[in-house]
Amino acid sequence: MSVHRPGRPRRARQARRSGSLLSLRSLAGQVFVLQLAVVMLLVAAALVALVVQARRDVMADARHRTLTVAQTFANAPGTVSALNSANPTAALQPHAEATRTATGVDAVIVYGLNGITLAHSDPRQIGKRVIGPYAAAATGTPFTSTFRGSLGLSVISAVPVRGPGGSVIAIVSVPVRVERVRHRVNRQLPVLLGGAATALVVAAGGSGLVSRRLRRQTHGLGPTEMTRMYEHHDAVLHAVREGVLIVGGDGRLLLANDEARRLLDLPADAERRHVTDLGLDEDLAGLLAGDRPATDEVYLAADRLLAVSKRLTAPHGPDGSVVTLRDTTELRAVSGRAEQARERLQSLYDAGLRIGTTLDVKRTAEELAEVAVTRFADVVTVDLLDRVLRGEESSGGAGITELRRSAVAGVDAGPPLHPVGELIRLVPADPVSTALAEGRPVLIRDVSAAGAWRARQPESAGRIFDHGIRSMLAVPLRARGVVLGVVVFRRAEGSPAFEDEDVTFAEELAARAAVCIDNASRYTREHAMAVTLQHSLLPRALPEQSALDVAYRYLPAQAGVGGDWFDVIPLSGTRVALVVGDVVGHGLHAAATMGRLRTAVHNFAALDMPVEELLGRLDELVAQIDAEEVTAAEHEQGVITGATCQYAVYDPTSGRLAIATAGHPGPAVVRPDGTVDFPQLPVSPPLGLGAGLPVETAELTVPEDARLVLYTDGLIEDRTRDLGAGLAALRDALTGPGRTPEATCAAVMEAMLSDRPRDDIALLVARTRRLGPDQVAEWEVPRDPAAVAPVRTACARRLAEWGLERIGFTAELILSELITNAIRYGAEPIAVRLLRTEPVGSPDAGSLIFEVADGSSTSPRLRRAKVTDEGGRGLFLVARFAERWGTRYTATGKVIWAEHSLRHDATPEGEGLDELLLDQWDDTAL
């Protein structure tokens, strides 16, 4: 596994940087190569010169040496005496050989004037005559000559030897080979070459150091780049029409181009001086000398306004900063107008965000006033038509005589301005009347100079002027070609008067606000229609029943009415059905669909359907509605329906609660001790999605004085909490014993209701009651007609115990007919039950319920008997004397029931019975 070493990249960069030193693309590399070439040429030339000079020195040395040796030997003190001796050769030969050896010449030769050799380094040559050019020497003149002999190039010098009288008595000749002298010189060549190599290395190193420093100075740039940089530098200094300054880290000015000198009026010797010594404005000099960057900050320099931008050069360069200057003096007027236009566009943008945040007409008018008074006017009033406030359609601007003050905003919006809510009657020549009548803005630059208005309304105009208002602008509010009202902008003393440019802005602002006001007005109208429809479809009062003590709350959503509904439906046998439902969506369609479903539930409940069958039928109905909507949607008219529902039936005789749920939140059960339970119930798919599947149902046993709480999802879900948090909050709100249903509703709504509910909320709280043993009487009846009389007798005794002897005959008649019908047409087992109900708060009221159950599923049918029929009149009598009657099916058969009211104004006992029976026969037939 490789390990990253932080130092390696840096060394690699240094290696690349060092290698780039020899790159011919950079100026430093090119200078290095040029310097190296020059040094090599100089060294080569020096070597050549040394060699040539050495050769020349060899020849000169050879001449000088031979001549010197010859002269020295010729002038030696013993030479003349040796020549004059009897044996010159013996005297001269040793000295000649010693001199040759000491001086390194080839030979020392002494000749006589006759050419006979007297002394020679080669003894064999002594006594021989030598022929040579010695005439000059014989005359007394020394000479040196060069000749090429068998041993190579040689130099020979001849010097005369003078006697005591000055005459020439002999000649001394000294030859030497050039090669001999050159060999001595060649021994010095390594030293010369070594010196040359050393000089070359030293010169190359010096060139490298110079090139390295040059590379640092030029940053590795080549000649082309250097030329281009110089051109750019020259352009910045002389041609750029933007001031450029380079300031060092010590605050001294390093560079200033021509434009900067012109803008700042810098002296000629400004460079290298501290910026605080250049006569600049104190703030500008402080910026230039400090280390704070800046972007387009405006400073004053003489009579110019300069936009100054400053950037620090560190860490990309040495400490310092680069400053650019732009003259903005000529652009101030244009930029001022542009800034004003930008501010107005920003104001319009802000107005678009702040106006129309709600669909409330008055709040929208207030938002218009608040937006305008902050940036455009000192006082703003908004007056609207009453029809607009009510959500009704408005007519054109002509004929408008009254407006309702809807909003006022400003620093001093008191008298003489009308307060919010006051009805304002318009008068001719008033700016508001003119704006509405002509459908255009009316500008009054100076209230004191408004002659027509002050002439016709001097009191009103005078109050406005005395209150400090100096300029006014009235703009009608129009949307869809209809006048909604007017907005009046006012500026007080001390503010500039309105101008023509302000009119355009005011029109645009009023147009945007008018659209929002119109939307709010139309929403108010549609919302009122939907609320009216919804309220007409919801129950207006709870029906009388004795099984439950019920309270409810219904709250429509702020954004629009929805399809939530609830119902309390009395059923046979003192049972009561509780219903809550929710249609998806909002608006008229949801409310209308809710009405259809509520009506269907009432109709299905009237048939005494079990809870699962009722929701199954309702599911089929919603599926059918959806099919119709799909067909309508193909023609761009329909909306697909979705709904949830919870249907529960409570039986006070047993305390059993049968409940079925189709996609709806489950109920809460508050036990008598105040604890709260959310029973786990089977949940079927929402209505319309069941696809014919059976609906699951559940049965609970609810204790007396418990509270059943049914609700829609709008109560427990909103934008601030999820389902779990909503159920926890509902549990906390319901916990506690001894509360009435009304108090429970109030506590739940206070704890759960948000400021602006997004969905409808339906809440139904029912406290359970139970029928005591003294209110129920039951008998088993064998399938024998003789059993009718004992049961009828037992019923009479129980009625006497209940104090209901006055209806004994009617009760026996109804019960006899029901039992006889069950024995004749039904099947065993047969049972009879009497139920007496006593609603709370009405001791004189209540009802008596007769129930006869048998094991068959055949249903009796009421019909008018024919004249010739012996029977067929029993159910007719039951229907005549009972307030209600009907049939409901059970798992083992059916129950035929009849209910008789216990009110005092009920039908008297037996009154008119004879006429009723006679009416069953036709006199003509008899």
Side-chain angles (χ1 to χ4, degrees):
M1 181 178 66
S2 62
V3 179
H4 173 71
R5 299 182 183 275
R8 289 184 177 178
R10 182 175 182 182
R11 290 197 294 268
R13 290 195 299 270
Q14 291 176 347
R16 290 195 299 270
R17 184 175 180 183
S18 300
S20 65
L21 177 64
L22 301 179
S23 175
L24 294 179
R25 295 183 179 179
S26 66
L27 180 63
Q30 295 179 10
V31 171
F32 173 75
V33 173
L34 180 60
Q35 288 179 339
L36 187 60
V38 171
V39 170
M40 292 179 67
L41 289 175
L42 291 176
V43 172
L47 287 175
V48 171
L50 287 174
V51 172
V52 173
Q53 183 65 32
R55 289 185 177 182
R56 292 179 64 184
D57 289 347
V58 166
M59 295 301 296
D61 183 64
R63 291 187 181 94
H64 180 70
R65 181 178 299 183
T66 56
L67 183 60
T68 302
V69 172
Q71 289 178 345
T72 302
F73 193 85
N75 296 321
T79 301
V80 175
S81 61
L83 287 174
N84 294 328
S85 67
N87 189 1
T89 299
L92 293 173
Q93 183 65 24
H95 295 291
E97 185 62 22
T99 301
R100 181 191 67 81
T101 302
T103 59
V105 297
D106 291 341
V108 176
I109 306 170
V110 180
Y111 302 97
L113 292 178
N114 57 3
I116 299 299
T117 303
L118 300 177
H120 199 291
S121 298
D122 185 5
R124 293 173 300 176
Q125 300 297 326
I126 297 173
K128 293 181 179 183
R129 184 180 293 277
V130 179
I131 300 174
Y134 302 114
T139 62
T141 304
F143 74 93
T144 300
S145 65
T146 302
F147 68 96
R148 185 174 294 276
S150 60
L151 297 178
L153 184 64
S154 300
V155 176
I156 189 171
S157 297
V159 177
V161 180
R162 296 180 183 274
S167 62
V168 176
I169 62 175
I171 299 174
V172 179
S173 175
V174 178
V176 68
R177 288 173 297 172
V178 174
E179 183 65 26
R180 187 182 183 92
V181 178
R182 183 178 298 168
H183 178 71
R184 296 178 63 187
V185 174
N186 287 343
R187 285 183 296 178
Q188 300 177 357
L189 285 178
V191 178
L192 294 176
L193 292 177
T198 302
L200 181 60
V201 172
V202 173
S207 298
L209 292 176
V210 172
S211 300
R212 185 179 182 88
R213 183 171 180 82
L214 181 61
R215 182 182 180 276
R216 290 180 178 178
Q217 297 295 329
T218 61
H219 299 281
L221 299 177
T224 303
E225 289 83 357
M226 293 290 293
T227 302
R228 185 165 58 248
M229 286 188 61
Y230 174 77
E231 292 173 350
H232 293 171
H233 178 269
D234 190 68
V236 170
L237 286 179
H238 305 295
V240 173
R241 304 311 300 170
E242 184 169 318
V244 178
L245 300 174
I246 298 180
V247 182
D250 57 355
R252 295 185 179 277
L253 181 63
L254 302 181
L255 177 68
N257 68 346
D258 294 348
E259 183 67 9
R261 291 178 179 274
R262 184 185 69 84
L263 294 176
L264 299 178
D265 194 19
L266 296 177
D269 60 344
E271 295 181 356
R272 297 297 175 182
R273 292 175 58 182
H274 201 278
V275 293
T276 56
D277 299 334
L278 300 178
L280 302 178
D281 181 74
E282 182 178 355
D283 294 338
L284 178 57
L287 174 65
L288 298 181
D291 57 356
R292 179 180 63 86
T295 301
D296 290 337
E297 296 185 7
V298 179
Y299 289 89
L300 183 64
D303 57 346
R304 297 185 180 92
L305 289 176
L306 303 181
V308 182
S309 296
K310 177 182 176 181
R311 294 294 181 270
L312 303 180
T313 56
H316 307 290
D319 291 341
S321 59
V322 177
V323 181
T324 58
L325 310 171
R326 287 184 293 109
D327 189 357
T328 62
T329 305
E330 298 177 356
L331 299 177
R332 294 303 294 177
V334 177
S335 62
R337 291 192 294 271
E339 180 66 18
Q340 185 178 11
R342 189 197 66 80
E343 290 180 356
R344 289 185 174 179
L345 288 176
Q346 184 65 37
S347 298
L348 290 176
Y349 174 77
D350 294 342
L353 297 178
R354 295 177 56 185
I355 299 176
T357 58
T358 66
L359 290 173
D360 182 80
V361 177
K362 294 190 65 176
R363 179 55 193 159
T364 304
E366 293 171 356
E367 290 171 345
L368 169 59
E370 292 169 359
V371 167
V373 83
T374 56
R375 299 184 180 181
F376 186 65
D378 296 324
V379 180
V380 179
T381 59
V382 181
D383 304 326
L384 300 176
L385 296 170
D386 278 338
R387 293 190 298 271
V388 175
L389 293 172
R390 293 193 300 266
E392 301 174 1
E393 283 288 350
S394 177
S395 59
I400 297 178
T401 59
E402 294 179 345
L403 292 174
R404 182 77 62 180
R405 178 60 49 85
S406 301
V408 177
V411 294
D412 188 7
L417 302 180
H418 296 278
V420 174
E422 184 173 329
L423 186 64
I424 303 173
R425 300 187 182 278
L426 303 181
V427 294
D430 186 271
V432 174
S433 301
T434 305
L436 292 176
E438 300 181 4
R440 63 174 181 84
V442 175
L443 171 61
I444 300 179
R445 290 184 174 87
D446 188 357
V447 174
S448 62
W453 179 31
R454 301 199 64 166
R456 304 196 54 176
Q457 296 291 328
E459 184 177 353
S460 175
R463 288 199 309 268
I464 293 291
F465 184 80
D466 295 339
H467 196 62
I469 302 301
R470 294 296 180 263
S471 184
M472 293 178 56
L473 178 57
V475 183
L477 297 170
R478 299 174 62 89
R480 298 182 294 117
V482 177
V483 175
L484 308 177
V486 64
V487 54
V488 182
F489 306 98
R490 299 174 175 86
R491 288 182 180 175
E493 187 175 3
S495 299
F498 288 110
E499 300 294 341
D500 293 335
E501 295 179 354
D502 298 322
V503 176
T504 304
F505 173 80
E507 284 185 301
E508 181 65 24
L509 183 61
R512 297 192 180 195
V515 172
C516 297
I517 292 174
D518 182 58
N519 290 338
S521 179
R522 295 173 65 183
Y523 168 78
T524 301
R525 179 170 61 256
E526 295 177 1
H527 184 72
M529 294 173 56
V531 168
T532 301
L533 173 63
Q534 187 182 44
H535 286 176
S536 66
L537 297 175
L538 288 173
R540 299 186 179 183
L542 296 178
E544 286 188 11
Q545 45 82 32
S546 58
L548 298 169
D549 182 12
V550 181
Y552 67 91
R553 291 290 188 277
Y554 178 80
L555 184 67
Q558 293 292 331
V561 296
D564 291 15
W565 90 92
F566 67 92
D567 237 324
V568 179
I569 306 173
L571 301 177
S572 63
T574 68
R575 297 171 305 127
V576 178
L578 301 176
V579 190
V580 288
D582 184 4
V583 176
V584 176
H586 296 84
L588 293 175
H589 180 270
T593 304
M594 177 269 290
R596 297 175 67 177
L597 297 183
R598 179 171 179 260
T599 301
V601 170
H602 268 273
N603 293 334
F604 293 149
L607 299 177
D608 255 327
M609 290 183 178
V611 291
E612 65 275 10
E613 183 179 353
L614 185 144
L615 283 188
R617 295 292 181 88
L618 204 61
D619 178 70
E620 295 175 0
L621 175 61
V622 174
Q624 179 182 353
I625 294 175
D626 282 346
E628 296 173 355
E629 295 295 348
V630 169
T631 303
E634 296 177 355
H635 300 86
E636 301 180 356
Q637 296 177 355
V639 179
I640 304 302
T641 301
T644 63
C645 184
Q646 188 171 85
Y647 184 76
V649 175
Y650 174 69
D651 188 352
T653 60
S654 62
R656 301 291 293 174
L657 179 72
I659 185 168
T661 299
H664 201 84
V669 178
V670 185
R671 302 189 179 279
D673 60 358
T675 59
V676 181
D677 185 24
F678 293 95
Q680 296 297 321
L681 306 177
V683 180
S684 301
L687 299 178
L689 302 179
L693 298 176
V695 177
E696 296 186 67
T697 185
E699 288 193 1
L700 307 174
T701 299
V702 183
E704 187 175 8
D705 205 28
R707 283 167 287 167
L708 303 175
V709 182
L710 283 70
Y711 50 88
T712 56
D713 58 357
L715 180 69
I716 58 176
E717 290 185 279
D718 61 19
R719 69 182 71 183
T720 61
R721 62 179 175 226
D722 57 11
L723 179 60
L727 290 176
L730 179 60
R731 180 189 297 273
D732 294 340
L734 292 174
T735 301
R739 288 181 182 172
T740 65
E742 185 66 28
T744 302
C745 286
V748 169
M749 296 303 288
E750 181 180 0
M752 304 292 295
L753 187 62
S754 61
D755 295 336
R756 296 184 59 82
R758 300 177 59 185
D759 198 3
D760 292 13
I761 296 176
L763 174 64
L764 194 62
V765 179
R767 184 169 58 187
T768 59
R769 298 195 185 103
R770 297 283 286 271
L771 295 181
D774 58 339
Q775 294 180 275
V776 181
E778 295 180 292
W779 299 275
E780 295 290 337
V781 180
R783 192 176 181 185
D784 183 1
V788 176
V791 173
R792 187 170 56 224
T793 303
C795 174
R797 287 197 302 268
R798 178 54 60 94
L799 291 177
E801 294 174 3
W802 288 344
L804 300 177
E805 296 88 347
R806 65 184 182 86
I807 61 170
F809 178 78
T810 303
E812 292 180 16
L813 176 64
I814 294 175
L815 194 60
S816 297
E817 292 297 336
L818 293 180
I819 296 175
T820 302
N821 187 71
I823 293 174
R824 179 177 298 179
Y825 302 106
E828 293 183 337
I830 301 174
V832 176
R833 185 170 70 168
L834 290 181
L835 303 175
R836 181 189 177 186
T837 65
E838 295 178 352
V840 176
S842 179
D844 194 35
S847 61
L848 183 64
I849 300 174
F850 310 89
E851 293 184 345
V852 177
D854 67 82
S856 69
S857 58
T858 58
S859 176
R861 183 165 55 89
L862 179 64
R863 65 182 179 86
R864 182 175 289 274
K866 296 181 180 179
V867 175
T868 57
D869 290 343
E870 295 183 1
R873 296 172 179 81
L875 286 181
F876 181 83
L877 293 175
V878 170
R880 175 66 182 82
F881 285 97
E883 187 173 348
R884 295 186 304 158
W885 77 280
T887 303
R888 70 174 182 271
Y889 295 93
T890 64
T892 59
K894 68 177 184 296
V895 175
I896 303 177
W897 58 272
E899 181 177 343
H900 183 73
S901 177
L902 300 178
R903 297 192 305 269
H904 287 296
D905 57 351
T907 303
E909 178 73 16
E911 183 179 349
L913 181 60
D914 51 351
E915 290 83 358
L916 181 62
L917 294 174
L918 291 175
D919 287 342
Q920 303 304 308
W921 286 271
D922 191 347
D923 295 339
T924 305
L926 293 174

